[in-house]
Each structure stands twice: as C-alpha cells, then as structure tokens.
Amino acid sequence: MAPALNLMHSTNRRWRYRIVRAQQLDWTRLRSDLEQIFPPSEWVIRLNTLSGSLIIMRIGNLSPQLGQDLTGMVRDGVRQQLIRQRIVVSETPLSPTEVVRPVSAQSRSWMRDSARCLANALSMSLSLSALLTSLALFLLGFIGLFLPLSPGVWLLMLATLVFDLALTVRRPFVGAI
C-alpha cells in the first residue's frame, strides 16, 4: 500500500494529519519545509514522529480571504512537501465515509421502540407459523402427487403461497438480502 495523508481532525483554525506508511520520511526536513510555506508568525506546526502525526494551527486574528479554502490549502501544502521528499500521496484525500440518518430526540421515544419490538416479535412468530404450515402443506402435497385422485399439485401451490407470505411478513424487519 502507498503512503497516505489522512485528515484526522480539523476545525477552522487547526488541522491534524496522520502520515501512514512513510518510514523514509525526514521529519526535520519536513518541519523546515513546512515553515517556509506556513510562516511561524502566522502558523504553529507540531510534529509527532512516534505516532506519525502533524498538527498545523493558525494563530492570531488572521481571517481567510474571501473564497479561500484553508483546509485545501493546508493539505496541498503538506502534500507538496511530502512529494519533495519523494513520498507520493493521493491528490484526493482518502477518508472513511459513514452515512448516518439524522435522529432527533423526539423521534426515538421508548414507546416507539417498544412498539417496533412488539411488532417484530409478532412478525417473527407469524412467519415461523407460516413456514411450518408451508412445510406441512408441502409434505402432504408431495405425498398427494403419488396418490390417485388427491389434490397434490394444489397443495404444493398453496404451500408456495404460504412460504411467500412468511417471507413477506418478515421483510420490513430484516435488512436487504
């Protein structure tokens, strides 16, 4: 795997990066190169060689210029200095993405949760009953196929419908299959 520059935490004045799989990195050279881009009068740079982390903080009352993306500027500056040391990192940041539904305090009441739990238990018991009924109908229909004048085919078709009903009853409570 190639070296990676991961943004671990950021605010509007502070960025914490972790440099992963960069064993040949010269930390003293990185510090001096970063101080050329981020002058010490406006920025604070902290390096932690043991954990491979880099913290860049903006100090003072300097406000960004209109339309200036400070996070992109800081990342590009660090990336360019890593490239100068022949450590190639991706141009687009690789970060894990997690999609979370917004949950408000009012929508997740105990009554709603208990009603969903009760409906889930009822659905499970109904589904198991339908599955057992479907199994019994299948066995009777299968035996009925060999007996003359018995409704074996019709029992097999009914067993299929009951089995489909059992799956349909459980579908709202299980994830995508």
Side-chain angles (χ1 to χ4, degrees):
M1 301 256 328
L5 180 65
N6 297 333
L7 179 63
M8 301 305 287
H9 176 74
S10 70
T11 63
N12 58 352
R13 293 184 168 266
R14 183 179 184 271
W15 297 268
R16 181 175 176 251
Y17 289 97
R18 185 158 184 246
I19 303 169
V20 182
R21 293 179 296 278
Q23 289 80 14
Q24 69 273 16
L25 182 64
D26 183 8
W27 289 94
T28 55
R29 180 177 168 203
L30 179 65
R31 177 184 286 281
S32 64
D33 290 344
L34 287 174
E35 285 176 352
Q36 291 175 1
I37 295 176
F38 305 110
S41 61
E42 301 173 8
W43 301 85
V44 173
I45 299 170
R46 291 189 335 199
L47 302 174
N48 187 340
T49 59
L50 294 176
S51 66
S53 69
L54 162 70
I55 297 174
I56 298 178
M57 291 183 293
R58 191 177 169 128
I59 57 174
N61 291 330
L62 299 171
S63 60
Q65 297 174 359
L66 187 63
Q68 185 179 15
D69 178 26
L70 286 179
T71 302
M73 183 192 80
V74 169
R75 186 181 194 296
D76 288 340
V78 173
R79 184 177 168 271
Q80 290 301 323
Q81 296 313 313
L82 291 174
I83 289 173
R84 285 183 67 192
Q85 290 193 28
R86 300 189 195 286
I87 298 174
V88 180
V89 294
S90 65
E91 190 168 325
T92 56
L94 303 174
S95 62
T97 303
E98 183 176 350
V99 178
V100 180
R101 288 185 311 203
V103 177
S104 65
Q106 297 171 349
S107 69
R108 300 299 281 171
S109 66
W110 66 272
M111 190 166 194
R112 186 177 199 179
D113 289 340
S114 61
R116 180 161 173 84
C117 185
L118 182 64
N120 188 13
L122 182 64
S123 167
M124 187 172 56
S125 65
L126 183 64
S127 178
L128 286 175
S129 298
L131 282 175
L132 291 175
T133 305
S134 173
L135 178 65
L137 287 172
F138 176 77
L139 291 175
L140 288 173
F142 187 72
I143 293 171
L145 286 175
F146 298 107
L147 299 176
L149 300 174
S150 66
V153 174
W154 296 106
L155 288 174
L156 287 176
M157 289 178 21
L158 183 61
T160 304
L161 289 175
V162 172
F163 181 78
D164 187 35
L165 173 72
L167 293 179
T168 303
V169 167
R170 285 300 297 156
R171 191 165 287 136
F173 298 99
V174 297
I177 298 173

